[in-house]
Amino acid sequence: MATKRVTLREVAELAGVNPSTVSRALSPFSRHLVNPETLRRVQAAALELDYAPNRVASSLRTGRSHSIGVVIPDLTNPLFPPVVRGISDGLASAGYTALVTNTDRNVENERTMLETLLERQVDGLIMASAATDDELVAIGLDRGVPVVLVNRMVDDHRILAVLSDDWHGMNEAVGHLASLGHRSIGHVAGPLGIATGVLRRQAFFDAMATHGLDVPDRAVVVASTFTESGGTAAARELLRSFLACTAIVAANDLIALGCYAAAAELGRSCPDDLSVVGFNDMPFADKFCPPLTTVRIPAYEMGVRAARLLIDRLQDGSVPVGPVLLPTRIVVRGSVARAEAPLPAYRHRSAAT
Amino acid sequence: MATKRVTLREVAELAGVNPSTVSRALSPFSRHLVNPETLRRVQAAALELDYAPNRVASSLRTGRSHSIGVVIPDLTNPLFPPVVRGISDGLASAGYTALVTNTDRNVENERTMLETLLERQVDGLIMASAATDDELVAIGLDRGVPVVLVNRMVDDHRILAVLSDDWHGMNEAVGHLASLGHRSIGHVAGPLGIATGVLRRQAFFDAMATHGLDVPDRAVVVASTFTESGGTAAARELLRSFLACTAIVAANDLIALGCYAAAAELGRSCPDDLSVVGFNDMPFADKFCPPLTTVRIPAYEMGVRAARLLIDRLQDGSVPVGPVLLPTRIVVRGSVARAEAPLPAYRHRSAAT
DNA sequence: TTGTATGCGTTATCAA
DNA sequence: TTGATAACGCATACAA
């Protein structure tokens, strides 16, 4: 049943040449040193036998596997599928294949998967795993395998990174709210153990400062996870203590969804009694109730860029200094309304709770 | 920089034994043939040198790569990420790694990716690509590589398949509508070039028959794609010609979303003037307006089962006959309401359009 | 321009 | 129980 695979030797025999000639003829880089007539014969033989090279053997011989390990924290997070597609497409166009692994946001898992990838001799790593801890990033590096980070960064400058320009996106978000009269704006941050959580929180402070707005302590609450329930809990706390709050910028869309829920619990409707802005523009964010105003980040493009960056690194070592920032922009939908000046009814209800 | 990888030889030297002894000592299956004391020394040496086996060399020697090619039509379709996770988890627990590829629903792509996977000597293939055409499935089989299908099937009985029990799910969907008084139920089918499209349409006819309900020709319209816009166009046509229609079962959730849009266009609101049931229970289906009543299919579990099936096949060849069916069940949310007997207002509006 | 020889790191066979 | 040896399929340095 398991048909014996055709090898170079058999092609060589059929073509009446030495295996090494076949090897040369079939490789684009050495093809030019073989006689056109021989080339033709070899190609005909290869076609005839339906020859397919054994990349495993080739990898062993050359020391390059033409495969790249891709480490994703959670593939079911809607942010990542487009990133992975971008990576795959970017790699494929250079003859590389992605080995995609899911760590489930579990450090032990991640370590295991990294070992597996390294044992399989990946030529490089693209990591979207988001722990701020960089111990695991080092393990690739220690073995001389180049690493590109997506959607996170690390101080070590040997490590390339592709990021969305969250500073710009956050600035647009705050600007949009400010332009509609919001002054008391809150932020539900993501977990501070994750790079994105830290980054966006800082970007929020910066953006508020840029717009001359004050950020009282109680205006920022950190969610325990990047999930709807994490967002609900944090937003509940925020809304209860920051009574003047008329708008929230959430660290991602899932948390924004949690803000919807918390607002509803407290008898406030979005966008009339509370404006909400998300982050990521995940698929179907436009289908929520209300459709979510959010900051779009170029997920697919980030994947493509990460792939290219890694390949450049692999091929000639030319690398940009510092992280590559990709543009973000706000997408206006229905979850933001003009700020009403005072909100007596709401204050009353809140106080009663 | 690129640290030379430690090999068996070096471990052997440090331990003062022959490389083949190290190989034996480090493989769980031959470990028992080595002297406990030697074993200890070898393990110590391996640890000391931080040895990691080169799986590429091992694959070349043994002819088994312990990697499985996974062919997905579109990773950004929310149905697939959980399937892929299931596959990865299932494979990992048996020491296999997934090579995930995205075909973009393009046959040429799919052929290329398959060639790539085969060149990389995958031990098996899991294909979720959904073309009813089975030519591409044959190319794996021809080379003696076992194939498992997910979410589709094919007549060839050499090919294992894992499917959701769409017949049961469809029957529940129709039953639910019928129990609420719906008699004139329509179906927006998926493209008939895709297995799921055909299957679910047939399941719809069967379920309607089971419930003693009539299906006039105009009650079933085929969408051109499994997308919202495909669903909108088809539902528009259906609602315009099948005037009595009070409920639609859509072939998937995206199409159901299209039904929402088409209903809105025609001045009908869901669920009051039109009930809609989706299929798949994609993530965030509960966030739609209204929250979508839909048939849940066990995506993650399908992936796990597919992986197990393939591994069983690889290891001893014991295989079930016929496809493996995994249970589905309806998830009731807000997009279905009790049927109103006659709908004069609606008829009037429709006729005016 | 082509052929010869060798080795990549591992494992399987055989002998000791 | 361990060691020596060969081979998996390919690519390359070198010779012709």
Side-chain angles (χ1 to χ4, degrees), chain A residues 55 66 74 85 104 119 289, chain B residues 55 74 85 104 119 289:
Chain A
R55 302 292 177 196
H66 285 267
D74 175 11
R85 286 192 58 162
D104 237 341
E119 288 181 1
C289 304
Chain B
R55 302 292 178 198
D74 175 10
R85 286 193 57 161
D104 239 341
E119 288 181 2
C289 303

Side-chain angles (χ1 to χ4, degrees), chain B:
Chain B
M1 177 111 311
T3 319
K4 186 129 231 105
R5 257 71 146 189
V6 179
T7 72
L8 267 190
R9 278 171 101 97
E10 305 170 50
V11 177
E13 271 171 35
L14 181 59
V17 297
N18 188 283
S20 55
T21 303
V22 176
S23 175
R24 277 189 287 255
L26 265 25
S27 162
F29 300 108
S30 47
R31 206 200 301 293
H32 66 279
L33 334 149
V34 35
N35 184 303
E37 163 57 18
T38 320
L39 177 55
R40 204 197 47 71
R41 282 219 317 286
V42 169
Q43 287 173 329
L47 202 63
E48 159 99 20
L49 296 178
D50 197 23
Y51 169 74
N54 182 329
R55 302 292 178 198
V56 169
S58 167
S59 297
L60 177 59
R61 177 60 235 244
T62 62
R64 340 200 58 264
S65 65
H66 285 269
S67 62
I68 301 296
V70 178
V71 182
I72 302 290
D74 175 10
L75 199 54
T76 56
N77 179 326
L79 172 63
F80 292 115
V83 174
V84 171
R85 286 193 57 161
I87 292 174
S88 298
D89 291 354
L91 291 179
S93 67
Y96 284 78
T97 302
L99 270 71
V100 182
T101 61
N102 197 287
T103 68
D104 239 341
R105 299 190 184 282
N106 168 340
V107 176
E108 260 332 292
N109 266 350
E110 184 171 345
R111 186 187 310 276
T112 312
M113 320 235 73
L114 271 175
E115 300 290 1
T116 303
L117 292 172
L118 261 7
E119 288 181 2
R120 286 179 183 272
Q121 312 296 114
V122 293
D123 295 336
L125 288 167
I126 297 179
M127 303 179 65
S129 51
T132 38
D133 152 27
D134 48 8
E135 181 207 348
L136 291 176
V137 171
I139 114 168
L141 235 49
D142 285 350
R143 313 236 192 141
V145 175
V147 178
V148 173
L149 265 25
V150 181
N151 206 33
R152 64 178 287 205
M153 57 180 293
V154 120
D155 287 334
D156 191 327
H157 282 293
R158 291 175 303 173
I159 302 180
L160 306 178
V162 177
L163 299 170
S164 52
D165 189 347
D166 291 353
W167 296 272
H168 178 259
M170 185 59 85
N171 205 55
E172 282 203 356
V174 169
H176 178 63
L177 291 170
S179 74
L180 290 172
H182 293 276
R183 293 290 171 269
S184 297
I185 304 175
H187 176 53
V188 177
L192 302 184
I194 295 183
T196 304
V198 180
L199 246 54
R200 291 182 182 168
R201 188 181 60 154
Q202 188 54 50
F204 175 76
F205 285 124
D206 295 350
M208 290 292 280
T210 300
H211 288 85
L213 297 175
D214 198 42
V215 184
D217 280 353
R218 62 191 188 287
V220 177
V221 177
V222 176
S224 59
T225 58
F226 269 119
T227 60
E228 184 185 7
S229 61
T232 305
R236 193 186 292 131
E237 182 184 334
L238 191 157
L239 292 173
R240 282 195 175 139
S241 59
F242 186 26
L243 298 179
C245 180
T246 61
I248 295 180
V249 181
N252 82 352
D253 294 339
L254 266 16
I255 289 180
L257 229 29
C259 294
Y260 284 5
E265 273 179 20
L266 300 176
R268 300 177 64 169
S269 84
C270 175
D272 293 337
D273 308 324
L274 180 73
S275 291
V276 175
V277 179
F279 228 102
N280 285 1
D281 192 24
M282 56 172 271
F284 310 104
D286 57 328
K287 304 300 174 200
F288 297 163
C289 303
L292 184 64
T293 292
T294 181
V295 176
R296 174 171 298 170
I297 75 174
Y300 177 85
E301 193 56 33
M302 287 169 69
V304 173
R305 289 297 290 275
R308 286 208 206 301
L309 214 54
L310 185 55
I311 288 162
D312 288 350
R313 177 82 154 107
L314 249 23
Q315 295 188 337
D316 50 41
S318 84
V319 299
V321 296
V324 174
L325 284 192
L326 263 36
T328 52
R329 70 166 205 274
I330 193 169
V331 178
V332 174
R333 300 206 181 94
S335 61
V336 172
R338 180 165 294 281
E340 313 283 340
L343 292 165
Y346 140 63
R347 292 212 168 170
H348 174 72
R349 250 183 268 137
S350 264
T353 313

